[in-house]
Amino acid sequence: MSSTLSELSERSRLSSLGWRRKGARKMSISQTAPKADRVGIAVAAMVFTDLTLSIADAIIKVTISDMPLSQFIFLRSCVTLPLLISLKWRFPQGSLRPAHPGWAIVRSSLLLSSLLIYYASLPRLDFSMAAAVYYTIPLFITLFAAFWIREPVGVQSWVGVALGFVGVLLMLKPQAGDLSIHVVMPLVSAILYALAMVLTRTKSRGENPFVLALIFNLVAIVIGGGASLATVMAGSEGGQSFMGEWIPMGWTQWALIGFLSMTMLIGSVGTAIAYQWGPSSIISTWDFSYLAFAVLWGVVLFSERLDAASVLGIVLIALAGIIVIRR
């Protein structure tokens, strides 16, 4: 897989520590008084957010295979950054300087790496499989919280972790000599995202979420732009990789980048609204609606067919995530 705009797409999920994606998916830009719960609005916002993010990821699965990831992440952050700055003008409170810039950069680098690996896996895997394995984030956060920051983890959470990894095995169906690197990419992405969430909790807890969002996009611009420049200087060819020669950008491509940038903002704002207006234990459960949408788009758009083991795997992963989050 607190409320924050720092989780800008970081497509991104709620952790067992009570954090949620999209960068730790949430506090509002400005500090506001607590709101009374409006569970119906909160659940609707969460489901709409997951619907938006699932559509964006389905589009990325179709389109990103012809565009180097360095170009995609660079252009998307270049579009998102002005949108963020315009929000800052509307909510001017707070300094733009992080209290711990080094940790903020490390956190952003982990999140960016997680997204890049997940995006790279989408053209090569069934959408439903990639999404299900990626949603093991809460399980890894539980593990890292237990062994890194020594947070107590009860029997219920360990049962959830075990169920989740059984679900992963059912999804991946590993066989000797038949487990490609593409199959484990969403799992690596989930691990990196979980590390970023634990780091957010331990090292960046007091940072302004808006500042974390800015730093993430600045890191994406630097890394994406640097990789693209290195490609030009080295004369590398394009292809389905992080580095590659830029493809020509027409109106269709620019419209796509603009749309995907807006989905990042919608995802962050929608998550913030959901966790401001509803109890995290309820909203985090509805966050798993993303899996349902991923399965739906997989069947409708990509003609994916899930066998019984895969369906059971998805159910176990979702159940495991809910168990560790609601402990």
Side-chain angles (χ1 to χ4, degrees):
M1 69 131 115
S2 51
S3 40
T4 181
L5 286 179
S6 66
E7 296 325 312
L8 296 172
S9 71
E10 285 123 303
R11 239 159 203 195
S12 186
R13 317 306 186 196
L14 175 70
S15 79
S16 62
L17 299 176
W19 322 315
R20 195 233 187 238
R21 144 181 143 148
K22 279 172 184 32
R25 311 174 191 338
K26 271 52 189 196
M27 283 163 48
S28 59
I29 292 179
S30 58
Q31 298 297 323
T32 59
K35 298 179 176 64
D37 284 349
R38 296 185 180 179
V39 178
I41 295 175
V43 169
M46 189 72 263
V47 173
F48 178 75
T49 296
D50 280 341
L51 173 62
T52 302
L53 293 173
S54 68
I55 291 173
D57 287 349
I59 292 173
I60 289 172
K61 175 177 173 61
V62 174
T63 60
I64 200 64
S65 60
D66 295 326
M67 180 184 295
L69 283 171
S70 58
Q71 179 180 359
F72 172 72
I73 203 70
F74 174 79
L75 292 177
R76 192 177 69 171
S77 290
C78 283
V79 174
T80 302
L81 197 60
L83 297 175
L84 276 173
I85 293 173
S86 68
L87 287 175
K88 180 60 178 176
W89 288 341
R90 186 170 182 179
F91 302 96
Q93 297 90 340
S95 171
L96 291 179
R97 182 175 181 178
H100 304 286
W103 287 117
I105 292 173
V106 171
R107 171 192 173 278
S108 295
S109 299
L110 287 170
L111 286 173
L112 180 62
S113 299
S114 172
L115 285 177
L116 289 173
I117 292 172
Y118 182 67
Y119 290 158
S121 73
L122 290 179
R124 299 168 174 83
L125 297 177
D126 286 350
F127 189 27
S128 52
M129 173 184 286
V133 177
Y134 182 71
Y135 259 76
T136 58
I137 288 171
L139 312 183
F140 285 112
I141 291 178
T142 299
L143 290 175
F144 296 151
F147 294 107
W148 183 356
I149 61 178
R150 305 298 181 183
E151 181 179 276
V153 176
V155 174
Q156 176 179 318
S157 292
W158 288 122
V159 170
V161 170
L163 284 176
F165 287 117
V166 170
V168 170
L169 292 176
L170 289 172
M171 289 293 299
L172 301 184
K173 304 176 183 64
Q175 300 176 9
D178 191 35
L179 191 62
S180 73
I181 188 173
H182 300 136
V183 172
V184 300
M185 287 170 72
L187 198 63
V188 174
S189 177
I191 291 172
L192 292 175
Y193 193 94
L195 285 172
M197 295 303 96
V198 177
L199 189 61
T200 301
R201 176 71 172 179
T202 57
K203 302 297 183 180
S204 300
R205 189 174 183 179
E207 298 284 8
N208 186 322
F210 179 83
V211 173
L212 292 178
L214 284 178
I215 291 175
F216 171 82
N217 282 278
L218 287 172
V219 168
I221 289 173
V222 170
I223 292 179
S228 298
L229 181 61
T231 298
V232 172
M233 295 177 64
S236 300
E237 296 181 358
Q240 299 181 10
S241 62
F242 175 63
M243 297 176 64
E245 184 178 356
W246 276 33
I247 66 171
M249 295 287 293
W251 286 109
T252 302
Q253 287 77 20
W254 280 113
L256 176 65
I257 293 294
F259 173 77
L260 293 174
S261 298
M262 288 302 301
T263 61
M264 291 175 65
L265 289 177
I266 291 173
S268 296
V269 173
T271 298
I273 292 173
Y275 280 90
Q276 284 175 344
W277 288 104
S280 61
S281 59
I282 295 176
I283 303 307
S284 60
T285 301
W286 282 95
D287 184 19
F288 282 84
S289 62
Y290 178 92
L291 281 181
F293 290 127
V295 172
L296 175 63
W297 304 142
V299 172
V300 173
L301 300 179
F302 307 117
S303 300
E304 297 173 2
R305 294 293 179 266
L306 298 176
D307 57 23
S310 296
V311 172
L312 179 59
I314 291 174
V315 171
L316 287 179
I317 290 171
L319 178 62
I322 293 171
I323 287 174
V324 300
I325 287 170
R326 295 173 66 92
R327 67 188 174 88

